[in-house]
Every structure is written in C-alpha cells, then in structure tokens.
Amino acid sequence: MAGLYIHIPFCASRCIYCGFYSTTHLDLRQQYVDAVCREMSIWGTGCLIGSNQKPVPQIDTVYLGGGTPSQLSPDQLRQLFIYINKVFNVASSSEVTIEANPDDVTTEFAETLPQLGINRVSMGAQTFDDERLRFLHRRHTAAQVREAVTILRNAGIHNISIDLMYGFPGETIDDWNRDIDTVLSLNAEHISAYCLMIEEGTALHRMGIEPCDEETERAMYELLIDKLTAAGYEHYEISNFARPGYRSRHNSSYWHDIPYIGLGAAAHSMTKLHKRDGSFCVIRSWNVSDLRAYIAAINSGELPSEREVLDPDTHYNDRIATALRTSDGLDLSTISDHHRRYCLQEAQPFIRDGLLRLTDNRLVLTRRGLFVSDMVMSALVWA
C-alpha cells in the first residue's frame, strides 16, 4: 500500500518562518486543480511506470498538504477527490488528511469533508498567544483555533491533529506551559510540536532573529514530553505525539520506507522496483517547484519532474535519518548485511553511553538520545 500526497501551494499570506514551496497567486487555484487532475490521469495511463495497461495503485493514505489546502473551494476539493477515486484504488480504511488554517474552518467547509471521505484534519495553531501569532504573520487568532475544533467535531471529524511551535524570541517556560495546557484542553487526537527554526531564505532569516538558546529549547522539549506522555499521548516520533490508535499513518509511511506518490508542484515521490533476485532499487522523483511551469508542462502533456535512482548506501542513510526518528526505531532486518554490521559497529559507543538501545533487533534512541539525535544519526550514516 502506498501513500498519496497532493501539494496545494496556495496561501492567503506567507508566514515568516515557512520554508515550504507556496504562493499567494490565488487566482491560479482552478488552473492548478485542473493540472493536478491531469497529472493523476497521466499516472492512470501508466506513463510513469512504463506500462501500456492502466495500473491501479493501492492507496492506504491520502494527504493534502501545503501551502494551505483549506484555501480551495468545496467544489475544487470535490473535483480532486473525483479524480483520486477514479485513478487510484483507495482502501475503505484509508486515513485521509487535509491541512487547514483555523480561520478557514467554516461550517460549510467542515461539513464538506466527510462527504469526500476526509477523516482527519491537521491544523496549524502554532501558539495560543495572539501576540506571537501576529509575529509569525498568522492570519488566525487563538480563539479561532478553539472555534475550529468545535466546528470540526460537530461535522463528525474525530481525528484532529494540532501543530505547535516553541522557542519564540522572548518566550518563557511559563508561556510554553500555558500553550501545552491549552492544546491539552482541546483533546486533540494528535499533537505535533516543533522548535521555531530560522531557515535560510525565509522572512524570519532576513529579519536577523536570534534562535532560542539550547538550554531553553531543551527545557521546553522536556516539558512537552513530560506533560503529553502524562496525559496519555504516545511519543512515537521526535516531534509527534498521538493518542493510542491515532498515529499519523501517512507520515509514518515516510519514516518506515513505504512508497508514496506525490502530485502537484514541488511534490516528491518514492517507488521501489523489485528485481527477480528479491532485491529492489529505490527511485526518488520530484516535480518542479514553480507553479506556472508546473501548470504549463502538465497542460502540454509532460511531467515536470526529475528523478534519481538511489544507490544502496544513500538508501541506507535515508533509513537512518527517518526510522531512528521514531519510537519503533530502525529494524535491522530491513537493511543489508554489510550495512547492518557497519551500523552496529558505529552504534556501540552510543549504546554504552545510554543514547541508543538495541531491543529485538531494533536500534532505538533513548530519551537522552532524543536530545542529541542529529549527532547520533550523523555518526551512523555511511561515510
């Protein structure tokens, strides 16, 4: 089973921290939706896998990300899902997620979602402090997050994920504690929390803002883990927490090396071609990060994408960088013998220091290891 990701790059305004591909050219929404549907049709003809017969890819998860997918109209969303179900074999038990801004969640929007089979909503709250929301150039208020949750519940959405950020300039531990208490009061099934990153090329970077100091960042992360796990959430990935049974199945497919299809501008795909000897090669592809170039190429019948075949060492490195982020860790039986020997050899100092543990042929970061995860993973990659 594969995951299907559709990138919706439209935003009414840009947040100062965002490094994802997005655009404020809202006038191109319908042209873009039409182009994404044409790209789906290209998948349906078998052009991407060299077949003359129409393939029916098995889809276990669907994820509309952005950008701001909730900037699409109900009719545009319906158009996308008509094509999704026409081209792909979407399992009846699929997890179907849409990202939404709280201020886009109206009663009409929410009631449209179950009609389309959407059963999960991921909302970017970021913080419940209105001053910090204005600093980020977010369009919503803290009150609108609470209101959006109520509207979604009333419409029958029982799987809600909320994104939070910490490490703002001048933010205190008490400030962060209040944000955690507020998100817990909303009883969300899933919570993602990220330290505010100052990425090159973003407005935040151009502002010259200083990042949060490491001591404060660590204290905030410790508090996050303690409070959410005490409240019954599984800490199943470095930045993600879920009620039992509500892990993000779509994102978990990335972390566990499950193939996925990406549609739309800047979207990525990963497929595996299995060989007769039981081995496989990994192919990674990505669409152009340019809205107009994407639409023009699709309208001319071309795929605006590039691709690469990953060598075994690069694929191993990808596994280190993804699987070790999760509480399940890296299943050593899924990597080659020589990579396994290398990995265990390099892991020994971290196992002795209590940063990694080896359990049931799985290599897992300990709680102490979470705080130095980048250093540990860098040491395990194939040099």
Side-chain angles (χ1 to χ4, degrees), residues 192-206:
S192 300
Y194 308 93
C195 187
L196 180 65
M197 301 296 292
I198 303 177
E199 296 187 37
E200 191 171 348
T202 63
L204 189 61
H205 182 264
R206 292 191 292 272

Side-chain angles (χ1 to χ4, degrees), residues 268-281:
H268 287 62
S269 301
M270 187 273 279
T271 57
K272 294 180 179 180
L273 294 182
H274 291 267
K275 303 176 183 179
R276 290 182 179 178
D277 63 2
S279 64
F280 60 86
C281 68

